[in-house]
Amino acid sequence: MFASVRGPGKWSFLLAVVLLAGPAWAAGVDPARLRAAAVQGDFKQIQAMGPGVMPALARLYTASSEQERASIAYVFYNLGWKSPDAKRALMADVRTQNQTLRLQVQWALGRVSDDADVVDVLLENMQNDPVPLFRDKAACALAYDQIHLAPAQKMRLFEGLVHALDDDKVQVRQIALQALQILTGQTKGFHPVAPPDARRRAVEEWKRWLAEYRANQ
């Protein structure tokens, strides 16, 4: 996907090597090789290096251009390794207006972390971002990419999606329902464009489902 990403200038390359050198060498990895693979989105090469490269990769992300950060976020997504360092780095860009970077960050966050604030920020973006595309892709991230959440941790996610069924925006109601259907296989008869009373009854069905889910955890 990012094979054609252009490399940075000499200064950013030297900075990245300085930032990477200690941890990367400690992990037995050539920092220049790690950087080259990262900015090209070559996650398979980095996968072979092992999870020990994640702190160095997170530092490289922070020191890179927006275009390169999108490539590294793509790497984080495909590796699917939990990393507090990667999560902190990605969270700094969770509301960037750079479209390519924003989408890669939103998709990657749940694949590096099971922290509650990741779910919270994606729910916030899904409901309140002024850009419909960002809202839609935040919902996609909630539906498909929260791979490290235990069943009990999913309660926060489900509650947020059910709450969004009452949103004033039709698109938000649509994408919240789609995410719930992907995650649970159910709709509870909710239709995003139904009259308010019909939507309210369906939301009550969802709330009863939430209570049952909570009781079973």
Side-chain angles (χ1 to χ4, degrees):
M1 182 181 295
F2 294 101
S4 62
V5 171
R6 179 173 56 84
K10 180 179 179 182
W11 172 249
S12 59
F13 172 79
L14 291 173
L15 176 61
V17 169
V18 169
L19 289 170
L20 281 166
W25 281 116
V29 174
D30 180 347
R33 178 171 165 248
L34 175 62
R35 182 189 176 281
V39 299
Q40 292 179 32
D42 189 350
F43 65 90
K44 290 185 178 179
Q45 186 177 164
I46 296 174
Q47 190 174 49
M49 300 176 189
V53 303
M54 291 295 278
L57 198 56
R59 274 189 296 276
L60 176 59
Y61 177 97
T62 301
S64 297
S65 68
E66 288 188 337
Q67 187 176 15
E68 292 162 346
R69 294 203 299 275
S71 293
I72 299 168
Y74 171 77
V75 170
F76 286 142
Y77 173 90
N78 281 280
L79 292 175
W81 292 335
K82 285 178 69 174
S83 167
D85 299 294
K87 178 240 178 166
R88 282 192 295 271
L90 291 166
M91 286 289 272
D93 285 325
V94 77
R95 292 195 174 93
T96 177
Q97 294 306 298
N98 180 307
Q99 179 175 304
T100 301
L101 178 58
R102 168 74 80 92
L103 299 187
Q104 293 296 337
V105 165
Q106 290 187 160
W107 291 329
L109 270 168
R111 299 179 68 87
V112 301
S113 177
D114 62 356
D115 290 346
D117 59 341
V118 168
V119 171
D120 290 345
V121 77
L122 291 172
L123 286 167
E124 172 70 18
N125 283 1
M126 183 192 78
Q127 293 177 87
N128 298 318
D129 197 281
V131 180
L133 177 65
F134 293 160
R135 295 199 298 261
D136 180 81
K137 300 311 178 188
C140 288
L142 290 165
Y144 290 112
D145 298 320
Q146 307 312 298
I147 63 172
H148 300 295
L149 295 183
Q153 292 174 298
K154 291 181 181 179
M155 189 69 208
R156 192 184 196 95
L157 169 56
F158 293 143
E159 287 176 335
L161 292 172
V162 170
H163 173 77
L165 296 177
D166 279 327
D167 198 276
D168 291 338
K169 296 179 286 297
V170 173
Q171 185 220 14
V172 172
R173 299 198 298 266
Q174 289 172 333
I175 59 181
L177 179 65
Q178 288 170 357
L180 282 166
Q181 189 170 12
I182 289 165
L183 290 164
T184 71
Q186 303 177 63
T187 67
K188 302 298 183 186
F190 183 88
H191 296 284
V193 295
D197 285 347
R199 297 202 310 267
R200 193 175 302 114
R201 288 193 295 271
V203 169
E204 289 304 315
E205 288 294 321
W206 274 112
K207 289 180 178 177
R208 282 190 281 273
W209 180 87
L210 285 172
E212 292 174 6
Y213 186 90
R214 185 185 296 108
N216 291 325
Q217 300 313 306

